[in-house]
Each structure stands twice: as C-alpha cells, then as structure tokens.
Amino acid sequence: MQNNQTTTFTSAFAQEVYEGLTSFPKHLSSKYFYDEVGDKLFQDIMAMPEYYLTDIEFDILDKNKTSIANLLSGTGEPFSLFELGAGDGKKTKILLRHFTTQGIAFDYRPIDISQNALDQLEHSIKDEIPGVEINTLQGTYFDTLRDINQANGRKKVILFLGSNIGNLLHEQAVEFLKNMRDSINEGDLILMGFDQKKNPQTILDAYNDKTGITAAFNKNVLARINKELGGNFDLDQFLHWEVYDPESGTAKSYLVSKVEQQVQIESLGLNIRLKQWETIHTEISQKYDDAVVEWLADQAGLTIVTDYSDAEQQYKNYVFKK
Ligand code: AVI
C-alpha cells in the first residue's frame, strides 16, 4: 500500500514519517533523533572536540555568570527559570550553582521532549545542587510554551541554549519566537544561544566527525522507525552527508541511499523505494550573524537587551525582552 490518503496514524511520529517518506524529495524531522539511544549519542557529540558549540557556550556562561545573574535577577524578586530542550543541563548547572551560592530566589523548570533526559537531569541536579527547586515538564517546545504562559505569577526567564533554534527554518524560528514572546510578560527575559557563521570547514567538521558518532545520530531516526514502526531499514545502506552553505549559513544533514532499495514499514502499511543516491533530508543547523538575529527578533516583536560572546565571536548568547 502506498500513498494511502485514508491511513490513520497512532502517533505524530507515525504521521510525520509517513508524510516525509512519501514526499519528494524525502525528509524526516531531526526531532525524532532523540530517544534513549539518540540522547546518549547527542551527549557523545557534545563531548567531541569537533563539536565546538558546547564548550564555547559553557565558557561564555561561566565567564559571564555574575553579569547574567544580575541581569536575570534584576531587583531581586523571585523568578522561574524555564529551560526549553534542557538535555543534560551541563551548561545550565553553571548558572544554577552560581544563583544558589549567591542566594538568588528562583525555581528551575526544565522542559524536554525526552522524559529519559529529564529523569536523568532531575536526578543529577538533586545530587549535585540539592538546594535547587526543580519541576520537570515533558513535551514539545510548542506545547510547553503554553504551559509557561499559564505558569504561576512569578517573573519568568526562559533559557534556550545550545543553538537549538538552529534546527528550525527561519520562518519556523520567527513563529517560535513569537510564541515565546506571547508566553512572557513585560520585565521577563529570554536567554538564547545562537551559533555564529564561521570558517565553513569548522562547521563541516563539527557535523561530520571521523568517528561516525554524528552519522549514528543521524541514522537513529531510521533505527527508531525500525523499532517503533516495524521498519526494515538497513542502516549500512545509507551514508551520512553534510553540506554547509556559507552564504545562507545553513548546514544540512542528509541520509543518502547507497543503493537502489525498497523498505517496508509495517505499522504504516508502507513500502517505499529509494533510488541509488536518493536523499532523505533530516536536519538543518542554522548559523547566524547579528543582522539575522536582529531580523528574527524584530519579526517576532522582541528586543535584544545585550549579548555575550567568546573572543572570536564564534558563538553568542543573546538576551531578549518583550
Ligand atoms: C541540538 N542541535 C542544536 C544540534 C545541532 O547542532 O544542530 C544537533 C546536532 N546535530 C548534529 N550534531 C548535533
């Protein structure tokens, strides 16, 4: 059965896989890289020397933690610190530790699509920084912005680190920033990481490591289709391929079929054909400059309060207000 319009799907994953693999050109969303295996692979990516983003952002937050604490805590009224896509929280812990030792009144509300990542994060925070009041929230960014909107009357600060915004197309990023704007009040702040345009080779190396961790991460979406939807993808029959366009600042990941092949996905009743060298587009990782970030903020009705960067301006954390 192919392109059966009447098929009903049991999950958003099933629906999107069906749509993506029956489209031309084929695509799958990078949000489906993340399950227990994918979370672990992403942690391994963040520890790779080639994946500069994590270490640079870590250093930016560490060097500027006093200034960031002053800015976020303002007049000293208690605030709720929401974090979208919290992951393992390694960088956030710099701020959590600093806020705690400075006696700043706040509670921490990490949000992630992966319950597994949240459970590990909660456990490690209770263990390492026991003074932090933590309440986790599982869901997609879009779902949880609604929850932020309806949260208690405390001042809100939203963290969105790791250049996670880069996994959205500009149009989606504007929509997302608009939703963020709608979920905060005057006086609330947003602290976001944006990876900057740089030597294209540095970017290609970050997304195409020689050890193959990024390739395994990219292919994990196929592994999930096999496990969760009864697919029979042979992962060895796909190449991980990365391109970077220095003009647009867009890095794109693909899975390229090495051979002509057919794949069955049982629970979707789907049989797909891939020609030799046919692509499945899986991820974009957008790189920015000040002009683009200003444009995004402007489109979304946000104002840049300040930014923090490393000496070579490879990465920037911007603070926005309404
Ligand atoms: C989560 N996200 C910001 C990462 C990125 O840089 O696009 C995901 C990633 N993909 C490949 N390596 C890391």
Side-chain angles (χ1 to χ4, degrees), residues 6 23 39 49 68 77 84 92 118 134 137 143 166 182 189 191 210 217 230-231 321:
T6 60
S23 297
D39 291 345
I68 294 172
E77 66 176 295
L84 303 181
T92 314
L118 286 171
I134 172 169
L137 204 58
D143 300 339
D182 291 344
L189 294 170
L191 173 66
K210 293 200 171 60
F217 184 56
K321 68 174 182 186

Side-chain angles (χ1 to χ4, degrees), residues 218-229:
N218 193 6
K219 290 181 185 183
N220 195 46
V221 66
L222 303 185
R224 282 193 66 183
I225 295 172
N226 286 351
K227 262 185 284 186
E228 295 172 37
L229 302 176

Side-chain angles (χ1 to χ4, degrees), residues 60-78:
I60 293 171
L61 297 178
D62 194 34
K63 288 207 179 80
N64 296 288
K65 56 184 184 276
T66 307
S67 162
I68 294 172
N70 290 338
L71 187 63
L72 302 192
S73 64
T75 53
E77 66 176 295

Side-chain angles (χ1 to χ4, degrees), residues 82 144-152 156 158 179 181-185:
F82 292 91
T144 47
L145 281 172
R146 222 185 13 243
D147 295 315
I148 293 179
N149 190 13
Q150 289 157 5
N152 61 19
K156 293 167 196 159
I158 305 180
N179 281 329
R181 184 186 185 280
D182 291 344
S183 68
I184 61 169
N185 300 308

Side-chain angles (χ1 to χ4, degrees), residues 30 33-34 42 45-46 48 51 53 141 161-167 195 206-207 214 217-218 240 242 253 283-287:
S30 62
F33 290 172
Y34 303 87
F42 186 51
I45 286 174
M46 290 192 289
M48 300 185 321
Y51 195 73
L53 290 82
Y141 302 150
L161 303 179
S163 204
N164 281 333
I165 188 144
N167 296 132
D195 194 19
Y207 291 91
T214 310
F217 184 56
N218 193 6
H240 162 69
E242 191 69 23
S253 304
E283 187 177 49
I284 76 153
S285 299
Q286 182 65 38
K287 308 304 165 195

